[in-house]
Amino acid sequence: MTSVHDWTPNNPVKENRSGLIGKPVDRYEGPLKVTGTAPYAYEVQPPSPPAYGVMVGAAIATGRISGVDIAEAQATPGVLVVWTHLNAPFQAPKGTKAHPRSSAGSRPALENDRVLFFGQPVALVVGETLEAATAGAHRVKLTYAEDAPDVDFPGSLDRAISPVGEEDMEVGDFPRGFAASPVQIDATWSTPIQNHCQMEPCASTVWFEGEKCVAHTSIQMVKPAQHGLAETLGIPRDDVHLLTRYIGGGFGGKGQTYDDLILAALAARALGRPVKVAYTRQQMMHGTIHRPATVMQVQLGAEKDGRLNAFSMMTWTHCHREGNFTEHASNFGRALYAAPNRLTGHRLVKLDLPGAGPMRAPGEASGTLALECAMDELAEKLGIDPVELRTLNEPPTDPENGRPFSMRQLVRCLREGAQQFGWDRRLPTPGLVRDGRWLVGMGMAAAIRGNFLLPAKCSFSVDADGVITVRQGMTDIGTGTYTVLAQIAAETMGVPLGQVKVEIGDSELPPAPGSGGQFGAATAGSAALAAGQNLRTAIAELATGDEASPLFGGRPADVTFQDGVVAIANRSETLASLIRRAAPEGLTVEGEIKPAQDAREWSQQTYGGHYCEVGVDPVTGEVRVRRMLGVFAAGRILNAKTARSQLTGGMIWGIGSALTEGNPVDVRYGSLLNQDLAQYLAPVQADIGDLEAIMLDEVDDKANPMGIKGVGELGNSGAGAAVANAIYNACGVRVRDYPITPDKLLAGMIARGM
Amino acid sequence: MRPFTYERAVDALGAVRSAAATPGARFIAGGTNLLDLMKLEIEQPQHLIDVGRLDLAGIAPMPDGGLRIGASTSNSTVAADPQVLARYPVLSQAIVAGGSPQLRNKATVGGNLLQRTRCAYFYDTTKPCNKRAPGSGCSALEGLNRNAAIFGASTACIATHTSDMAVALAALGAQVETLAASGESRTTPVIDLYRLPGDTPQIETSLAAGDLITAVVLPPPPAGGQIYRKARDRASYAGGLASVAVAGGQVALGMVALKPWRAHATEAALAAGASPTEAIARELEGASPLGRNDFKLPLVARLSAAAIQEANGRGA
């Protein structure tokens, strides 16, 4: 049984003798990516010429395929195969697990004539070229027996129910506490469906080597993809070799496999040659998961001195008819502010929309857009500075379960941010500051996101050149996994960074859970540290037991590792010379991390404070972010550059959520508007002014042996609310229906007589 | 994408003759719009005639004090041209307000004029659209039509034209020079290049099949200030919600109709001494919003009044 106390002893990462931990090291795979030579799944060169598959999406949201005419598609020059549900190869029925320990069940494609959502892949055309397959895909003629789609989320709130197995969280007596509070806020916010819009769409290149299926795909988690594909094909798990070396963004959207992988594998098997299948940009919008829309009611009851008596946050959201994903937008509020009377919960309605699922900072990204604006409204009503209001309501322990915080520097983040940003120059009364034609305002919000550690393994090898190779079935979705693993290895083994190789994204490497929920670096890195410590022990024993070594006869525990040299006091030799002589085949050891049994005795979170200054055009209602600062506390930082990139990237997502992004639903068709990147408006360079992220010094010993925590989701949490609050400060208009587009802001300004 | 044949035109006359002789031919230059539409099979040319490398680029002064801009001049080149910047700043501002730097480097003046609407229902090939599939209906009419036209729409089509450059050209009173297969050269005012949707929204311009735009000709700039203002959801690479081009007393509105909308009523009111606010209100009396795009009325009113005021230093 592991305890967090087992992590207390010193280790090479904590000692950080070479100073590599925390250093803003350039990306390990950066040169490959910026020269276009990193082979993403679709660009992988197969051993023989590939065929190309193109999928056809359903043109209705719900119903049945009533007619299939593939004659013209089949007759298209260069087309090899056309499949619909009528002639697709056999696959194990949905959810089947022939192997009980598979981490995912069968996910058949083209399973039957049922259409479950608009854009669902309903046909595959494979051709000699992408062009031939694309031309063939346009010639597939399907007719449908369409049912009326049930897709109107705002119109369905009254039939939303508690998600299965969930109950509202109640502490004290919220209705009484709220009613007795002299100052109240009761307002409702709404957020639209959002799409991940990864630069790299979901894509796969698959071929068979004998019985073995070699599948390159773009996926955040290796094992479930490997197992799911094996179950679908009905082959042993070890017969699937799944690889995902380079990934152009995941953001939660690639936590599961899609039909590109299944169909590429089926076609590769049927044709006996490699097959590539990718979603088009338009297909990504419907064919993969999205962040669902929410409606969130926040009720705050406070004393006149600003202390909260009562806090409630209820979220209504939706998921697919056959799914059970819930956007837990109220959850983060359970650990954020003190209040004796509390009520939080979720209501879910199932619709014929495409699948809802996790997207960067699931829960917090939507929820903070409500609660952190409600706090701003409360601060104004009380006449208390928004930073002070949050400080006043800082809980000494977790406000719901009373557990101590492992580490909580929220107030320090807020104060540090206020000082660095020049918050004292903000005028509380909106609409008073102008710069040229622009109305200028400042806003702030708190950030919070949980921290997690999952089980993982990792192997470390040293070869006769003294090169350390890290191997792990981990993924790098653009976050910096390669780089931080290299840093941990170099620091642990006392070798220069250039003497480390990292191999990840492969189902045949020691398993790790992959990237998601900002648990990646902590989980993969802790397993790497363990492997490194085991390799140090093995090398120390080798050196001290080798008569030819100057270290011979010493105590293994006294061996130090630095600059590629192993030493005991002034007796030393290079790591390379030791291995070349004493273990010319090299050494390989594994290490492992498991969550501590007692880790959840502490409330573990990461924290931050966002500060934003916007300009609002009083003529048009256009908003431009002028500058934004985030201050974060997220444990020890492994790499100041990649961590900063993740944090500022998250902040930019917040700006997009506040101002531009969304997929409105056309309820007549059950489809989404904005089906490409010209119409789905993620922020562009010109939308982002001065942007900075600062990371406070912190080590959280309850988190993992390195004392690090995740930053991948944290930057997004609260960022949009800071933008919205700045808009209010600039022009005095609160728009509670995101995104805050010029039409909505203009209506508010006109209503205020502006 | 359907298979198509391709030729690189050697000269303009050869290009128009080939276009007239080949069924399903389309010209291509920058291809920034056409290729996207071909991938979705919204455009299905059987033959592409590449006019991008013809000797149609260049910006030259005209004897009357105007400026002639060759059709294959890139948008970026026009926007950065010293003569344009000095005498037609509204044109430079409008071009820079459109697309992205990458698109403007690739896109040509002729292609910019002929870009097709960005109506979301035009792009979604599973939906009815009279412009894409004549007679199928307009799914935008009862749909999510926040960015639909407020002038000159019909029940067959409520889309808008989204060129920023064309709005400035309309305000400047520019002419479009075209070459027909007969070898005949013709000039047409920019605002007459476009047709309102009526019952035939699939017919978008007054060009005959095979006509090639060879140049845009600017008259000498009118007296008075010039300015282009565009309201949009994000700061770059976004179609406008509304825009206005002012060149002295000449005013054109963008993203309010299926063509750049020359605001004649506003111009007349301004000439008669009305304030910018009164003058634009006169124009908007003729607007027909649909509900979701009602905000365009106050937006156009405010944006235009501010632009006219700024261009001409007048009080609102």
Side-chain angles (χ1 to χ4, degrees):
Chain A
M1 292 299 142
T2 329
S3 159
V4 297
H5 301 296
D6 299 338
W7 299 337
T8 315
N10 224 350
N11 64 49
V13 165
K14 289 185 182 176
E15 287 181 5
N16 198 18
R17 287 190 181 201
S18 328
L20 278 173
I21 302 299
K23 210 173 162 184
V25 171
D26 288 346
R27 277 176 198 271
Y28 177 89
E29 80 290 14
L32 291 181
K33 285 184 173 170
V34 298
T35 56
T37 49
Y40 291 84
Y42 202 78
E43 286 97 51
V44 167
Q45 288 290 329
S48 57
Y52 296 82
V54 171
M55 297 181 290
V56 177
I60 61 165
T62 180
R64 287 177 188 279
I65 301 166
S66 54
V68 174
D69 176 2
I70 58 173
E72 202 187 327
Q74 279 176 321
T76 303
V79 166
L80 302 168
V81 164
V82 181
W83 285 339
T84 68
H85 66 282
L86 296 179
N87 62 343
F90 176 80
Q91 303 156 76
K94 194 172 185 173
T96 311
K97 279 190 188 181
H99 192 296
R101 283 174 54 213
S102 283
S103 51
S106 172
R107 295 182 60 93
L110 313 177
E111 189 180 24
N112 54 42
D113 65 348
R114 287 185 66 205
V115 174
L116 299 173
F117 59 91
F118 181 92
Q120 170 190 324
V122 287
L124 175 77
V125 178
V126 185
E128 288 287 352
T129 62
L130 175 63
E131 292 75 14
T134 304
H138 280 281
R139 314 271 96 73
V140 173
K141 295 193 182 76
L142 300 173
T143 47
Y144 301 94
E146 187 178 2
D147 297 329
D150 176 13
V151 291
D152 181 7
F153 170 59
S156 308
L157 301 185
D158 53 354
R159 61 186 165 92
I161 56 168
S162 290
V164 174
E166 287 186 28
E167 287 179 9
D168 296 344
M169 286 284 288
E170 289 184 76
V171 177
D173 184 339
F174 171 76
R176 244 174 101 172
F178 185 66
S181 297
V183 183
Q184 298 176 337
I185 295 291
D186 182 351
T188 300
W189 283 260
S190 58
T191 60
I193 287 175
Q194 293 181 335
N195 250 287
H196 305 75
C197 298
Q198 304 95 333
M199 287 289 280
E200 180 205 20
C202 293
S204 300
T205 298
V206 183
W207 65 86
F208 279 75
E209 292 173 358
E211 293 298 302
K212 193 140 189 170
C213 174
V214 180
H216 290 262
T217 193
S218 184
I219 193 84
Q220 291 173 230
M221 284 107 176
V222 172
K223 279 288 163 191
Q226 179 204 12
H227 293 177
L229 178 57
E231 292 289 356
T232 309
L233 298 179
I235 62 177
R237 295 185 307 179
D238 289 347
D239 280 354
V240 171
H241 185 188
L242 190 118
L243 299 107
T244 182
R245 297 277 196 216
Y246 302 101
I247 300 163
F251 311 121
K254 293 176 183 168
Q256 63 179 76
T257 60
Y258 300 98
D259 290 357
D260 59 308
L261 176 64
I262 305 301
L263 290 170
L266 290 170
R269 187 162 68 176
L271 291 170
R273 65 189 279 195
V275 173
K276 294 174 185 276
V277 180
Y279 279 74
T280 65
R281 177 58 63 192
Q282 286 83 359
Q283 287 173 340
M284 288 295 290
M285 292 287 178
H286 289 97
T288 68
I289 57 170
H290 58 254
R291 190 201 300 282
T294 65
V295 169
M296 300 172 285
Q297 183 185 18
V298 179
Q299 293 169 292
L300 302 173
E303 295 296 331
K304 286 184 175 161
D305 66 4
R307 280 175 303 120
L308 286 169
N309 272 332
F311 156 67
S312 172
M313 182 164 176
M314 296 301 295
T315 298
W316 286 257
T317 185
H318 60 88
C319 73
H320 185 259
R321 171 98 41 223
E322 297 192 349
N324 49 26
F325 177 83
T326 304
E327 183 73 32
H328 284 117
S330 301
N331 274 4
F332 76 98
R334 293 170 180 165
L336 194 49
Y337 299 119
N341 303 295
R342 318 171 66 87
L343 172 64
T344 47
H346 301 88
R347 300 290 181 269
L348 184 64
V349 58
K350 300 203 174 187
L351 299 172
D352 300 317
L353 286 170
M359 178 165 143
R360 200 168 191 177
E364 291 86 357
S366 309
T368 53
L369 288 168
L371 177 55
E372 285 303 285
C373 290
M375 286 295 279
D376 201 67
E377 296 193 24
L378 179 63
E380 186 189 31
K381 220 168 182 176
L382 289 162
I384 295 177
D385 181 86
V387 178
E388 290 315 308
L389 178 65
R390 287 164 173 87
T391 307
L392 273 171
N393 288 288
E394 177 71 1
T397 57
D398 186 294
E400 302 261 313
N401 55 36
R403 287 178 192 148
F405 295 108
S406 63
M407 180 68 67
R408 180 172 167 116
Q409 297 204 76
L410 173 60
V411 170
R412 215 185 128 204
C413 288
L414 297 177
R415 293 216 183 284
E416 184 83 19
Q419 192 182 353
Q420 301 261 349
F421 194 72
W423 182 250
D424 58 340
R425 295 202 303 274
R426 171 182 178 267
L427 303 179
T429 306
L432 296 183
V433 181
R434 271 196 187 251
D435 181 1
R437 75 168 193 251
W438 296 91
L439 289 163
V440 177
M442 291 190 203
M444 59 79 59
I448 183 171
R449 168 76 193 183
N451 185 64
F452 308 94
L453 181 69
L454 302 178
K457 293 181 178 174
C458 183
S459 83
F460 268 39
S461 300
V462 59
D463 67 14
D465 295 324
V467 172
I468 307 295
T469 302
V470 180
R471 292 190 178 88
Q472 192 175 39
M474 180 55 190
T475 56
D476 187 330
I477 57 175
T479 47
T481 310
Y482 276 107
T483 316
V484 297
L485 287 177
Q487 287 173 275
I488 291 168
E491 185 58 57
T492 305
M493 301 313 301
V495 299
L497 266 178
Q499 214 170 308
V500 176
K501 287 184 187 166
V502 181
E503 294 176 9
I504 58 172
D506 186 328
S507 61
E508 299 191 345
L509 299 178
S515 306
Q518 78 175 21
F519 55 65
T523 299
S526 295
L529 171 61
Q533 287 178 292
N534 291 344
L535 183 58
R536 280 168 68 116
T537 304
I539 291 170
E541 285 171 357
L542 183 72
T544 53
D546 175 19
E547 290 182 13
S549 172
L551 279 63
F552 178 69
R555 285 186 348 136
D558 293 339
V559 177
T560 59
F561 295 76
Q562 204 155 0
D563 301 326
V565 170
V566 287
I568 298 177
N570 58 358
R571 294 186 285 154
S572 68
E573 69 173 321
T574 66
L575 181 58
S577 75
L578 169 69
I579 300 298
R580 202 173 299 142
R581 182 185 65 246
E585 302 298 309
L587 291 175
T588 296
V589 300
E590 278 206 358
E592 184 174 8
I593 185 72
K594 286 181 175 165
Q597 296 292 116
D598 52 0
R600 294 291 137 196
E601 289 175 18
W602 288 267
S603 177
Q604 290 196 25
Q605 319 282 343
T606 58
Y607 299 94
H610 295 280
Y611 289 82
C612 180
E613 181 181 288
V614 302
V616 174
D617 187 328
V619 169
T620 62
E622 290 168 286
V623 177
R624 298 290 176 257
V625 172
R626 294 157 60 99
R627 60 194 184 99
M628 193 162 179
L629 169 71
V631 178
F632 302 98
R636 187 193 307 276
I637 297 301
L638 289 173
N639 181 321
K641 183 185 279 185
T642 55
R644 180 186 177 278
S645 291
Q646 287 213 70
L647 289 163
T648 53
M651 291 164 74
I652 292 168
W653 279 57
I655 293 171
S657 294
L659 299 179
T660 54
E661 290 183 47
N663 287 114
V665 176
D666 191 325
V667 295
R668 300 169 300 169
Y669 304 108
S671 61
L672 307 176
L673 204 68
N674 304 334
Q675 297 181 15
D676 58 42
L677 295 184
Q679 298 179 73
Y680 185 92
L681 301 182
V684 295
Q685 190 73 25
D687 289 299
I688 309 302
D690 287 339
L691 185 69
E692 194 48 78
I694 295 172
M695 291 154 272
L696 297 184
D697 284 336
E698 183 177 293
V699 174
D700 190 336
D701 283 329
K702 309 297 188 299
N704 51 65
M706 299 185 292
I708 74 160
K709 294 196 272 197
V711 292
E713 327 260 8
L714 178 63
N716 195 352
S717 173
V723 177
N725 292 336
I727 291 170
Y728 176 74
N729 185 241
C731 68
V733 176
R734 292 206 191 268
V735 175
R736 299 194 186 100
D737 174 30
Y738 292 97
I740 307 173
T741 47
D743 49 331
K744 298 173 192 171
L745 206 48
L746 191 59
M749 291 198 295
I750 290 169
R752 287 194 80 227
M754 292 170 69
Chain B
M1 192 184 288
R2 282 177 187 266
F4 57 90
T5 52
Y6 170 89
E7 76 173 282
R8 185 177 294 167
V10 178
D11 55 44
L13 199 56
V16 291
R17 285 191 176 142
S18 174
T22 319
R26 292 291 308 265
F27 297 119
I28 185 166
T32 57
N33 190 213
L34 182 61
L35 289 177
D36 281 352
L37 295 169
M38 286 170 65
K39 288 177 193 169
L40 296 169
E41 295 204 359
I42 294 166
E43 292 272 10
Q44 302 181 4
Q46 292 166 278
H47 183 66
L48 285 185
I49 302 165
D50 190 343
V51 295
R53 303 184 199 208
L54 293 184
D55 188 21
L56 294 176
I59 303 172
M62 297 288 283
D64 67 349
L67 206 59
R68 185 178 185 279
I69 303 172
S72 57
T73 315
S74 81
N75 286 192
S76 297
T77 303
V78 178
D81 182 80
Q83 303 166 85
V84 173
L85 282 167
R87 300 178 59 221
Y88 305 96
V90 65
L91 177 58
S92 181
Q93 291 167 24
I95 290 173
V96 171
S100 66
Q102 296 90 336
L103 290 169
R104 296 194 294 269
N105 288 342
K106 193 79 186 141
T108 63
V109 167
N112 184 319
L113 287 172
L114 296 183
Q115 67 180 287
R116 304 195 69 187
T117 184
R118 304 282 165 172
C119 175
Y121 295 98
F122 174 69
Y123 271 80
D124 181 348
T125 53
T126 66
K127 306 293 190 290
C129 171
N130 289 320
K131 191 180 266 301
R132 176 168 31 77
S136 61
C138 172
S139 41
L141 199 58
E142 303 290 327
L144 301 168
N145 55 21
R146 167 176 173 257
N147 210 1
I150 55 173
F151 290 112
S154 70
T155 53
C157 182
I158 59 172
T160 58
H161 196 261
T162 40
S163 166
D164 292 283
M165 184 188 78
V167 183
L169 293 179
L172 290 166
Q175 304 268 327
V176 175
E177 190 184 285
T178 57
L179 182 67
S182 62
E184 183 199 353
S185 190
R186 193 160 62 98
T187 59
T188 313
V190 161
I191 54 166
D192 295 337
L193 176 67
Y194 302 103
R195 292 165 49 112
L196 288 172
D199 295 332
T200 54
Q202 73 276 19
I203 304 171
E204 296 177 348
T205 68
S206 59
L207 297 178
D211 283 2
L212 177 67
I213 296 178
T214 50
V216 166
V217 180
L218 302 176
Q226 297 180 19
I227 194 163
Y228 186 74
R229 292 239 352 228
K230 173 185 183 181
R232 49 185 149 176
D233 286 322
R234 70 179 171 190
S236 178
Y237 188 37
L241 300 168
S243 77
V244 59
V246 183
Q250 295 165 207
V251 180
L253 306 175
M255 297 90 200
V256 294
L258 200 48
K259 60 189 290 185
W261 192 260
R262 186 75 181 256
H264 295 294
T266 296
E267 291 175 7
L270 286 173
S275 73
T277 303
E278 290 164 357
I280 192 65
R282 207 64 48 77
E283 193 73 38
L284 289 167
E285 284 166 9
S288 313
L290 298 155
R292 282 191 172 89
N293 65 350
D294 287 358
F295 75 95
K296 286 197 175 187
L297 267 58
L299 179 60
V300 168
R302 295 160 75 104
L303 189 68
S304 302
I308 294 166
Q309 187 185 339
E310 198 176 332
N312 293 325
R314 289 215 217 178

